[in-house]
């Protein structure tokens, strides 16, 4: 959302008379808007699902998929938490509810309070698939409607943990290092995402109806241009080059 807003703002300044309206709400919301023909472009931080693909096909709506940037997903805790690194298996344990106390992963004797995005979020889907090995979130997990709400909750709750896109990380929360092999722990950063040493990286997609290609092409071309990709890096995402 912050990336598309900035791209639209700069694009409109350069192209008088052209208007781009950007609305958030989660990847599922964007793809639903594509289904009911109420948007020209759906933003999604996850790949379109098979059932969504089938619905578009049944409705006779041919569409195209374009990757416009990449994003590193940061795991965040409260700054007072002494834990500074976790393995993928430990994260799976925490988010599925098997690990309930910070002392189980080298922290203080303190209950773990888990925050997640809500089910319509592409970030929720991506984290479940790539970090939790497709296992279900614990029923005790607190689902938040937006990334800002996760940042706020984690910053105010001593035992909290959550996940957010790298571009959203603030000084109010602590970013932790993640390991998939249990040996090498890496922090989320643009550099580590680009050199592929940080494991939790995902593409960011634009989906659009083929019938509207001519209408959206000037904006899409701008986003994929050198100038558009420079904005990607400035906002805190990872450019395609």
């Amino acid at each position: 959302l912050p990336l598309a807003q900035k791209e639209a703002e700069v694009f409109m300044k350069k192209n008088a008379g052209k208007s781009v309206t950007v609305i958030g709400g989660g990847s599922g919301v964007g793809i639903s808007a594509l289904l009911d023909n109420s948007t020209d472009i759906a933003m999604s931080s996850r790949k379109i699902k098979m059932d969504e693909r089938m619905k578009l096909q049944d409705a006779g709506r041919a569409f195209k998929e374009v990757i416009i940037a990449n994003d590193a997903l940061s795991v965040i805790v409260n700054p007072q938490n002494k834990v500074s690194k976790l393995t993928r298996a430990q994260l799976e344990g925490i988010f599925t509810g098997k690990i309930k106390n910070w002392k189980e992963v080298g922290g203080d004797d303190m209950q773990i309070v888990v925050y997640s995005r809500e089910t319509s979020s592409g970030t929720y889907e991506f984290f479940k698939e790539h970090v939790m090995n497709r296992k279900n979130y614990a029923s005790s997990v607190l689902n938040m409607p937006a990334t800002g709400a996760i940042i706020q909750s984690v910053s105010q709750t001593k035992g909290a943990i959550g996940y957010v896109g790298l571009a959203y990380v603030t000084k109010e929360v602590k970013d932790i290092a993640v390991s998939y092999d249990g040996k090498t722990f890496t922090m989320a950063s643009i550099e580590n995402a680009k050199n592929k040493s940080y494991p939790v990286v995902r593409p960011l997609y634009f989906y659009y109806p083929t019938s509207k290609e001519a209408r959206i092409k000037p904006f899409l071309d701008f986003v994929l241009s050198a100038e558009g990709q420079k904005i990607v890096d400035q906002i805190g995402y990872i450019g395609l080059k």
Side-chain angles (χ1 to χ4, degrees), residues 75-218:
V75 176
I76 56 165
V77 296
N78 186 277
Q80 288 179 36
N81 196 328
K82 71 179 188 188
V83 172
S84 58
K85 59 181 188 178
L86 289 167
T87 65
R88 189 212 59 76
Q90 286 172 326
L91 287 168
E92 181 189 307
I94 288 169
F95 281 84
T96 56
K98 284 200 177 84
I99 297 172
K100 293 180 165 63
N101 194 299
W102 282 107
K103 69 180 178 187
E104 295 175 66
V105 290
D108 293 334
D109 184 0
M110 177 171 58
Q111 186 193 348
I112 301 175
V113 183
V114 185
Y115 288 97
S116 164
R117 284 296 305 280
E118 82 288 8
T119 55
S120 67
S121 158
T123 315
Y124 169 100
E125 295 278 353
F126 180 86
F127 195 85
K128 180 177 176 176
E129 192 172 322
H130 293 270
V131 181
M132 296 165 62
N133 268 354
R134 299 192 177 171
K135 293 188 175 71
N136 289 329
Y137 287 86
S139 57
S140 56
V141 169
L142 301 161
N143 290 339
M144 293 282 136
T147 300
I150 293 181
I151 296 275
Q152 191 180 1
S153 302
V154 172
S155 72
Q156 292 169 355
T157 312
K158 205 175 167 189
I161 186 169
Y163 55 83
V164 297
L166 177 62
Y168 286 92
V169 175
T170 67
K171 291 186 178 73
E172 280 74 53
V173 293
K174 183 171 112 176
D175 206 2
I176 64 170
V178 175
S179 172
Y180 268 37
D181 62 10
K183 297 174 197 143
T184 312
F185 289 84
T186 319
M187 296 293 289
S189 70
I190 289 174
E191 190 186 342
N192 289 343
K194 281 191 170 167
N195 67 29
K196 297 188 168 56
S197 64
Y198 185 71
V200 199
V201 176
R202 59 182 178 166
L204 299 177
Y205 301 95
F206 272 3
Y207 287 101
Y208 64 90
T210 314
S211 60
K212 295 182 179 180
E213 190 158 29
R215 178 187 168 102
I216 68 124
K217 201 171 184 323

